Amino acid sequence: MQEPVVHIDQLKLQFRTKVILDNLSWTIHKGEQWLITGESGTGKTVLAKAICGLIPVSGTLEVKFDPSVRLPARSLYVAQWFPFKDKQGGTNFYYQQRYNSTEAENSTTVWEELSAYTTKVNVGPEQINELLQSFNLLHRKDAALIQLSSGEHKKIQLSKALLLKPQLLILDNPYTGLDVQTRKNLNGLLNDACTSGMQLILISNDGDLPSCINCFGKMEHGKLSTSMQPFAEETTAVADLAIPDFLLDPEVPSPTIVNANNINVSYNGKAVLKQLNWTVNAGEKWLLSGHNGSGKSTLLSLLTGDHPQAYANEIYLFGKKRGSGESIWDIKKNIGFISPELQWYFEPTSTVFQAIASGFFDTAGLFRSVTAAQAHKVRTMLSLFKLEDEEHTLLKQLPLGKQRIVLLARAVVKNPPVLILDEPCQGLDQQQTRMFNKLVDQLSTPTRTLIYVGHLAYRLPACITHRLTLKAGVAVEMEHALYTEN
C-alpha cells in the first residue's frame, strides 16, 4: 500500500477552555488534492499551520516527502494576509501611509520583492515575468508594495508560493480580494503545479475551484469529515435582525453626498485615476466595481479624507468642497467604513468592545473613554451580532471572519448617513456573508447612502441599484442597474 504523504492521528489542541482540534485524524495520499471547507472559527487555519509545523499540537502528525519528485521537499502554508516589510525589515505600517508618495521610497517594489525571493528558489527573471503576466501585474512591477491594493498584495503572495512550488502547498482562502479573471488564472496555475507533482490543500468556502481538486473535507467542532464528493452547501435562511432604534433613519447632511469633477490622481507620474466624474446623491446604493488595481481603493480614500491628493482635485463631500475649511474628522463623522487595509492596520491591543467603540471616534483603536450611553450602544451591537462572549477578547485573536463582523459593528455603531464598505465579505464564510449582506440591506434605509466594493455578484446585498465600474483608473461604465462581472 502506498505510504501516505500526510498522516494525522488523534491531533489535539486546546486554547484555554476552547477545544480547537478534537482528536482529529486524517490521511493524505499521493495525488490527492484537497478542498477543506467549514464555517469561520472551526479550526481550518489551525490545522493548516499544524501540518506545516507552525504551531505545537499533541498527537501524531507526520509529513513524508517523495525524493523522486523534482520539487522542494517542504510544505508551505500561505496565510490569508500578505505580511510584507519595508526596506529596513519593519512591519509597523499605518492606514494612510500607502497614499503618501514619500513613504513609497522606503517600501520595496514588486520586482524587488520577487527578485529577492528567487535567490531562495533558484528561478530566473523570465519566470517572474510569466507569473506577473498571468496575474496581470506586469505593468505594476515597479510599484511600491505599500501602494498596492489588497487584491494586488494577494497576487504577490501567491506568486511567491508558485515560484517555490513545494511538494505540499496549503493555501488559506487564496481567492480573497481577487477579481473574477484572476481567479480563473490562479486555478490554471494550480492545475499545472499539481500536474508536476505538487500536492494541494485548499482552504476555501468559495465556489471557484481548480479542476485538480479530487478530495473534500469539512471542519466542524474541531473534527474533519472527508468525502470524494463536494459537500452540499448549506443554505440556512437568514432571519431579519432586530435592528435597534438608534441605527435607523440617520440624519442626511446634504442632498448630494459626492460630487467629483475631473478627478486625477497619480504616483511618480503613474496615473491611478484619470478624469473621473461621479455624483452620488443621498440615499443611493452604489456598487463600485473593477479589476484589481483599477483605482477603487484610491477613489474611496479621496472620499474618506485619507488621501492627500483630494486637495488637488475638485471634490465636494456633503455639499462642501475639500479644502474649504472642514477637517478630516468633519468628513469621517458622517461615514461608516470597512476595508481590508483597516483590518490589517487596526490597533493590535484592541478588544472587541474597544474595536466597536472606536467607531464613535473614527480611530483605528480606542484611545479615549466612552460615555455610559455609548457603552450601552456597544453592548447592544455585541448582542445583535452574537459577540457577547468575545467582548473582552482581543480582536486579533478572533478568526478573520469574526474580525470582519466586529468591524461592521464598528462602522454602524454611530448610525452614519453613509456606509462605505470596501470588499467587506473578505474572509467571511457563506453563512456569515448572507448574514452580513442581510444586515446591510436592513440598514440601507431610504435616507442612508451605500458605496459597496465587491467582485462577485452572488456575494452582494440586494439593495444595490447603481454601479460605477473602473478600468485602469477610468470610469468605463455607470449604470442604474444591478451588476454582473464577467
Side-chain angles (χ1 to χ4, degrees), residues 90-120:
T91 58
N92 189 26
F93 301 105
Y94 58 91
Y95 176 66
Q96 291 88 351
Q97 194 169 0
R98 65 179 293 205
Y99 304 116
N100 296 321
S101 58
T102 56
E103 301 286 357
E105 298 174 1
N106 193 38
S107 175
T108 56
T109 66
V110 171
W111 187 260
E112 289 169 342
E113 177 77 11
L114 294 179
S115 296
Y117 187 70
T118 57
T119 61
K120 303 178 182 178

Side-chain angles (χ1 to χ4, degrees), residues 116-303:
Y117 187 70
T118 57
T119 61
K120 303 178 182 178
V121 297
N122 194 29
V123 299
E126 66 281 355
Q127 290 168 282
I128 300 178
N129 280 318
E130 288 176 6
L131 272 176
L132 291 177
Q133 185 70 43
S134 296
F135 284 128
N136 192 28
L137 269 181
L138 199 55
H139 67 293
R140 298 283 277 161
K141 68 179 184 179
D142 295 322
L145 293 183
I146 198 171
Q147 293 179 335
L148 300 183
S149 68
S150 61
E152 290 172 323
H153 279 149
K154 175 57 69 174
K155 293 177 181 182
I156 300 300
Q157 187 186 34
L158 292 168
S159 294
K160 295 176 74 171
L162 290 167
L163 284 170
L164 175 62
K165 201 182 294 183
Q167 286 196 32
L168 177 61
L169 177 63
I170 306 180
L171 299 179
D172 196 345
N173 284 293
Y175 303 106
T176 297
L178 298 183
D179 58 52
V180 173
Q181 186 58 52
T182 301
R183 289 168 177 241
K184 294 178 181 177
N185 294 350
L186 172 60
N187 285 343
L189 292 168
L190 292 175
N191 287 332
D192 292 343
C194 290
T195 299
S196 68
M198 189 185 79
Q199 294 210 224
L200 176 66
I201 300 175
L202 180 63
I203 299 173
S204 177
N205 287 302
D206 279 290
D208 299 294
L209 297 176
S211 59
C212 62
I213 295 294
N214 53 23
C215 297
F216 303 86
K218 184 175 182 179
M219 288 289 294
E220 292 181 290
H221 309 299
K223 293 184 180 294
L224 181 69
S225 303
T226 61
S227 173
M228 301 304 292
Q229 300 295 328
F231 288 88
E233 179 186 347
E234 295 182 4
T235 55
T236 306
V238 179
D240 285 346
L241 297 177
I243 305 297
D245 290 342
F246 68 83
L247 292 184
L248 298 176
D249 301 320
E251 183 178 348
V252 179
S254 169
T256 301
I257 303 301
V258 177
N259 188 6
N261 300 310
N262 197 32
I263 302 303
N264 292 279
V265 174
S266 62
Y267 302 118
N268 299 321
K270 170 67 177 177
V272 180
L273 294 175
K274 308 171 190 175
Q275 298 181 335
L276 177 68
N277 295 285
W278 189 28
T279 299
V280 177
N281 295 312
E284 293 179 343
K285 315 296 187 287
W286 280 85
L287 176 73
L288 178 57
S289 66
H291 296 304
N292 299 133
S294 60
K296 303 185 298 296
S297 294
T298 299
L299 176 56
L300 294 184
S301 70
L302 295 172
L303 308 186

Side-chain angles (χ1 to χ4, degrees), residues 425 428-438 459:
C425 292
L428 301 189
D429 60 45
Q430 294 177 10
Q431 185 66 13
Q432 285 175 326
T433 297
R434 285 191 284 268
M435 187 190 83
F436 185 102
N437 285 330
K438 178 77 169 182
R459 293 175 71 94

